[in-house]
Amino acid sequence: MSINYFRSAIENMEGYVPGEQPIGKKFIKLNTNENPYPPSPKVFDAVKARLNESMRLYPDSAMTKVKEKAATIYGVDSGEILVGNGSDDILSILIRTVVGKSDSVALTEPTYSLYKTLAEIQEGRIEKYPLTEGVCIPEEMFSSKAKLVFLARPNAPTGASFALDEVERLARSIKGVLLIDEAYADFADDNCLELYRRCDNIVLSRTLSKSYSLAGIRLGLAIGRPEVITQMTKVKDSYNVNALTGAAAIAALDDVDHMQKNVQIVKRDRAFLKVGLSRMGIESFPSQANFVMTRFAENGKAKSIFSKLREAGFLVRYFHLDYLGECLRITVGKHQEVVAFLDVLDKILHGDRK
Ligand SMILES: Cc1ncc(COP(=O)(O)O)c(C=O)c1O
């Protein structure tokens, strides 16, 4: 990867004018882990076909067809699936099902920030387990007696995954329900579906927001034992998923090939991004997701790079994390976007070396 290679990539990039301020222009959005590629064309056809007078009717509150489709893909019974308005909805339904006031909720630190918010709303007691190196389940977590343990695998915002045998040990040693959030599992080398079959206290959550490129339609899934799903169904809003989302989800799940092709491209560019960063001497966590998180030891450095990237038209996410310090998280965009990002970052760090 030469600097000239980066530069020509920027010049070819749609809507990007080098040297100009992005005020009033489009930003290159690498901050919320969306998929840079469009969903399957089947999704557009399915939604268009659903735009008819049947919209006056309420949707199927159980989303039976989505459940059946998902059950086939994940190799479970449709009674083991609950459909939600994004996986955020699934997480909220589960905590309201399992956790009462003053019950304990365990989570790693850092992890997806919504877990803590939901636990606070539920007036639960939060047990935090620091990930000092970011990649191993903390030993103290194995003896947690919490009603609900949240584990994002791959984790956010680090992107790192936890070893499967460690996750199994966690499921078997805790007293409560283990929610494994698999929002990014399609970008990872493995997932917890097999483990779910072996351990009956595991609930998995999945989403169409990331690998299926459908963050805007809001569709999440819980996979759990029928008894848990039955209880969760009592807690959810009756019509938590709308008819157009249902139609889009069935079409997306009908085209797993499309999703997998996009995932392969994202994984290739994830590797490209990591190599580019390491050539600039920037440390990043091992990522199994569609983003890469970098860590900066020098105080204020990440914040300053974040601001300069923004001025140059690139949105990334800045974190100041307990235990891990100052970090930037970069979503893997289209190849041209990654190339351009690396070029701009290089200029920020080393000036114009042309
Ligand atoms: C770990 C994790 N879980 C869940 C979500 C939310 O996904 P959804 O769009 O399905 O609500 C995110 C979104 O960024 C996430 O990072």
Side-chain angles (χ1 to χ4, degrees):
M1 283 181 296
S2 74
I3 294 304
N4 282 341
Y5 177 47
F6 292 147
R7 193 153 288 128
S8 69
I10 299 187
E11 278 154 15
N12 291 332
M13 208 166 62
E14 199 187 326
Y16 185 83
V17 183
E20 281 202 23
Q21 292 294 310
I23 309 301
K25 289 189 191 305
K26 271 190 182 170
F27 282 97
I28 308 295
K29 203 172 166 305
L30 307 177
N31 60 342
T32 48
N33 302 341
E34 287 133 339
N35 195 313
Y37 301 103
S40 162
K42 290 186 179 179
V43 170
F44 301 111
D45 295 342
V47 172
K48 277 185 212 142
R50 193 64 177 72
L51 287 173
N52 56 40
E53 70 89 36
S54 74
M55 281 203 287
R56 69 191 174 78
L57 302 172
Y58 286 107
D60 169 19
S61 68
M63 286 281 130
T64 313
K65 288 189 177 146
V66 179
K67 279 190 191 192
E68 284 168 359
K69 192 91 234 164
T72 322
I73 289 172
Y74 299 119
V76 297
D77 195 83
S78 63
E80 296 175 81
I81 292 187
L82 181 91
V83 186
N85 183 25
S87 56
D88 284 353
D89 187 32
I90 295 293
L91 302 171
S92 161
I93 295 167
L94 181 67
I95 199 167
R96 285 183 282 136
T97 306
V98 173
V99 175
K101 193 174 172 180
S102 303
D103 285 342
S104 294
V105 177
L107 41 90
T108 63
E109 180 75 43
T111 194
Y112 184 40
S113 57
L114 184 69
Y115 308 151
K116 183 167 167 273
T117 308
L118 292 174
E120 283 167 356
I121 292 168
Q122 207 60 11
E123 297 183 61
R125 282 189 293 126
I126 301 167
E127 289 175 12
K128 284 187 195 169
Y129 295 94
L131 294 171
T132 42
E133 288 310 315
V135 288
C136 296
I137 300 175
E139 200 50 47
E140 303 74 44
M141 200 168 188
F142 292 90
S143 44
S144 170
K145 296 190 172 41
K147 280 268 173 71
L148 179 59
V149 176
F150 281 113
L151 194 76
R153 185 183 189 275
N155 197 15
T158 61
S161 202
F162 301 104
L164 272 179
D165 53 353
E166 286 293 276
V167 180
E168 177 156 13
R169 184 159 76 90
L170 182 68
R172 295 192 187 282
S173 57
I174 59 169
K175 298 275 172 283
V177 172
L178 175 61
L179 181 283
I180 307 176
D181 181 339
E182 296 205 310
Y184 301 100
D186 289 325
F187 300 98
D189 294 340
D190 55 22
N191 61 53
C192 293
L193 274 165
E194 271 306 312
L195 202 57
Y196 158 76
R197 293 192 185 97
R198 289 203 296 275
C199 303
D200 59 13
N201 61 338
I202 289 180
V203 177
L204 300 178
S205 67
R206 289 285 182 119
T207 179
L208 300 198
S209 295
K210 313 292 181 182
S211 54
Y212 284 91
S213 313
L214 286 170
I217 70 149
R218 313 304 302 130
L219 196 293
L221 299 161
I223 303 173
R225 295 293 181 276
E227 312 82 76
V228 180
I229 297 296
T230 304
Q231 292 309 315
M232 289 175 76
T233 306
K234 291 180 192 163
V235 171
K236 82 173 185 75
D237 290 347
S238 312
Y239 301 111
N240 62 331
V241 180
N242 74 72
L244 294 179
T245 291
I250 294 163
L253 293 169
D254 221 11
D255 198 355
V256 173
D257 279 0
H258 180 91
M259 176 276 282
Q260 283 172 342
K261 276 182 201 139
N262 286 344
V263 162
Q264 283 316 316
I265 300 170
V266 169
K267 284 169 77 172
R268 191 195 62 202
D269 285 318
R270 177 177 75 196
F272 182 83
L273 173 59
K274 275 189 72 77
V275 171
L277 290 167
S278 84
R279 285 191 185 172
M280 284 181 233
I282 298 173
E283 184 192 349
S284 65
F285 286 88
S287 175
Q288 291 273 302
N290 66 338
F291 56 86
V292 172
M293 194 164 90
T294 60
R295 182 149 61 159
F296 294 84
E298 195 184 316
N299 213 359
K301 179 118 181 177
K303 194 69 184 262
S304 138
I305 295 173
F306 167 81
S307 303
K308 287 177 184 158
L309 281 168
R310 198 171 196 287
E311 275 166 35
F314 290 83
L315 297 180
V316 298
R317 210 37 218 280
Y318 166 81
F319 292 90
H320 193 161
L321 300 168
D322 294 342
Y323 312 107
L324 298 182
E326 286 195 87
C327 301
L328 293 180
R329 190 193 65 192
I330 306 128
T331 304
V332 179
K334 288 185 180 158
H335 184 68
Q336 296 280 67
E337 294 172 335
V338 175
V339 166
F341 167 81
L342 287 169
D343 184 61
V344 165
L345 183 61
D346 188 65
K347 278 196 211 141
I348 290 171
L349 293 173
H350 307 113
D352 202 332
R353 298 193 283 198
K354 196 152 63 166

Tab-separated table of all heavy atoms in Angstrom, residues 86-88 91 112 115 152 156 181 183-184 207 209-210 218, ligand 1:
chain	number	residue	atom	x	y	z
A	86	GLY	N	-35.407	-4.883	16.032
A	86	GLY	CA	-33.958	-4.776	16.215
A	86	GLY	C	-33.546	-5.639	17.393
A	86	GLY	O	-34.393	-6.052	18.198
A	87	SER	N	-32.231	-5.900	17.519
A	87	SER	CA	-31.846	-6.724	18.669
A	87	SER	C	-31.860	-5.906	19.955
A	87	SER	O	-31.940	-6.461	21.040
A	87	SER	CB	-30.517	-7.444	18.448
A	87	SER	OG	-29.497	-6.559	18.154
A	88	ASP	N	-31.858	-4.567	19.847
A	88	ASP	CA	-32.045	-3.743	21.054
A	88	ASP	C	-33.375	-4.094	21.726
A	88	ASP	O	-33.462	-4.159	22.960
A	88	ASP	CB	-32.040	-2.247	20.697
A	88	ASP	CG	-30.634	-1.714	20.418
A	88	ASP	OD1	-29.656	-2.461	20.620
A	88	ASP	OD2	-30.516	-0.550	19.994
A	91	LEU	N	-33.007	-7.368	23.584
A	91	LEU	CA	-32.275	-7.210	24.850
A	91	LEU	C	-33.187	-6.612	25.911
A	91	LEU	O	-33.199	-7.047	27.067
A	91	LEU	CB	-31.048	-6.308	24.647
A	91	LEU	CG	-30.023	-6.781	23.598
A	91	LEU	CD1	-28.977	-5.711	23.328
A	91	LEU	CD2	-29.366	-8.079	24.037
A	112	TYR	N	-21.202	-3.466	24.976
A	112	TYR	CA	-22.242	-2.654	24.340
A	112	TYR	C	-22.964	-1.849	25.431
A	112	TYR	O	-23.481	-2.430	26.397
A	112	TYR	CB	-23.197	-3.599	23.604
A	112	TYR	CG	-24.287	-2.905	22.813
A	112	TYR	CD1	-24.026	-1.752	22.076
A	112	TYR	CD2	-25.578	-3.426	22.788
A	112	TYR	CE1	-25.018	-1.133	21.347
A	112	TYR	CE2	-26.575	-2.818	22.049
A	112	TYR	CZ	-26.285	-1.667	21.335
A	112	TYR	OH	-27.279	-1.058	20.615
A	115	TYR	N	-26.533	-2.421	27.531
A	115	TYR	CA	-26.786	-3.377	28.630
A	115	TYR	C	-26.913	-2.637	29.962
A	115	TYR	O	-27.806	-2.907	30.758
A	115	TYR	CB	-25.668	-4.421	28.756
A	115	TYR	CG	-25.298	-5.164	27.493
A	115	TYR	CD1	-23.998	-5.640	27.308
A	115	TYR	CD2	-26.223	-5.399	26.494
A	115	TYR	CE1	-23.636	-6.326	26.160
A	115	TYR	CE2	-25.865	-6.086	25.335
A	115	TYR	CZ	-24.572	-6.534	25.177
A	115	TYR	OH	-24.214	-7.202	24.047
A	152	ALA	N	-21.241	-9.920	24.812
A	152	ALA	CA	-21.284	-9.666	23.365
A	152	ALA	C	-20.138	-10.434	22.734
A	152	ALA	O	-18.989	-10.280	23.133
A	152	ALA	CB	-21.149	-8.177	23.087
A	156	ALA	N	-18.351	-5.548	21.554
A	156	ALA	CA	-18.305	-4.163	21.081
A	156	ALA	C	-17.894	-3.321	22.298
A	156	ALA	O	-18.344	-3.619	23.403
A	156	ALA	CB	-19.678	-3.738	20.592
A	181	ASP	N	-24.796	-11.926	22.822
A	181	ASP	CA	-25.208	-10.992	21.779
A	181	ASP	C	-24.333	-11.257	20.555
A	181	ASP	O	-23.144	-10.932	20.547
A	181	ASP	CB	-25.031	-9.566	22.318
A	181	ASP	CG	-25.462	-8.500	21.323
A	181	ASP	OD1	-25.516	-8.790	20.123
A	181	ASP	OD2	-25.718	-7.370	21.773
A	183	ALA	N	-24.567	-9.957	17.505
A	183	ALA	CA	-24.862	-8.964	16.459
A	183	ALA	C	-23.856	-9.043	15.301
A	183	ALA	O	-24.207	-8.800	14.152
A	183	ALA	CB	-24.866	-7.561	17.063
A	184	TYR	N	-22.597	-9.396	15.636
A	184	TYR	CA	-21.541	-9.391	14.603
A	184	TYR	C	-21.081	-10.805	14.231
A	184	TYR	O	-20.046	-10.958	13.582
A	184	TYR	CB	-20.346	-8.565	15.110
A	184	TYR	CG	-20.733	-7.136	15.429
A	184	TYR	CD1	-20.972	-6.732	16.740
A	184	TYR	CD2	-20.903	-6.202	14.418
A	184	TYR	CE1	-21.363	-5.439	17.034
A	184	TYR	CE2	-21.292	-4.902	14.701
A	184	TYR	CZ	-21.521	-4.526	16.012
A	184	TYR	OH	-21.910	-3.234	16.296
A	207	THR	N	-29.137	-10.063	14.722
A	207	THR	CA	-29.744	-8.885	14.100
A	207	THR	C	-29.540	-8.928	12.590
A	207	THR	O	-28.571	-9.504	12.107
A	207	THR	CB	-29.127	-7.593	14.671
A	207	THR	OG1	-29.734	-6.472	14.033
A	207	THR	CG2	-27.630	-7.520	14.485
A	209	SER	N	-29.231	-6.026	11.205
A	209	SER	CA	-28.691	-4.662	11.017
A	209	SER	C	-27.294	-4.635	10.407
A	209	SER	O	-26.939	-3.672	9.740
A	209	SER	CB	-28.603	-3.934	12.359
A	209	SER	OG	-29.869	-3.720	12.893
A	210	LYS	N	-26.499	-5.658	10.679
A	210	LYS	CA	-25.076	-5.572	10.318
A	210	LYS	C	-24.787	-6.387	9.055
A	210	LYS	O	-24.641	-5.842	7.992
A	210	LYS	CB	-24.213	-6.059	11.480
A	210	LYS	CG	-24.600	-5.468	12.836
A	210	LYS	CD	-24.318	-3.996	12.944
A	210	LYS	CE	-24.698	-3.465	14.313
A	210	LYS	NZ	-24.491	-2.041	14.456
A	218	ARG	N	-34.950	-2.459	11.237
A	218	ARG	CA	-35.093	-2.861	12.639
A	218	ARG	C	-35.634	-4.282	12.773
A	218	ARG	O	-36.836	-4.499	12.937
A	218	ARG	CB	-35.994	-1.879	13.432
A	218	ARG	CG	-35.711	-0.417	13.248
A	218	ARG	CD	-34.295	-0.050	13.575
A	218	ARG	NE	-33.930	-0.393	14.940
A	218	ARG	CZ	-32.825	-1.066	15.250
A	218	ARG	NH1	-31.959	-1.458	14.307
A	218	ARG	NH2	-32.555	-1.334	16.495
B	1	LIG	C1	-23.185	-5.577	20.339
B	1	LIG	C2	-24.401	-4.936	19.726
B	1	LIG	N1	-25.592	-5.494	19.967
B	1	LIG	C3	-26.718	-4.969	19.449
B	1	LIG	C4	-26.669	-3.847	18.650
B	1	LIG	C5	-27.966	-3.257	18.146
B	1	LIG	O1	-28.378	-3.884	17.011
B	1	LIG	P1	-29.814	-3.623	16.398
B	1	LIG	O2	-29.630	-2.671	15.272
B	1	LIG	O3	-30.271	-4.974	15.967
B	1	LIG	O4	-30.705	-3.055	17.484
B	1	LIG	C6	-25.456	-3.236	18.359
B	1	LIG	C7	-25.410	-2.033	17.504
B	1	LIG	O5	-24.459	-1.416	17.227
B	1	LIG	C8	-24.285	-3.801	18.921
B	1	LIG	O6	-23.084	-3.253	18.702
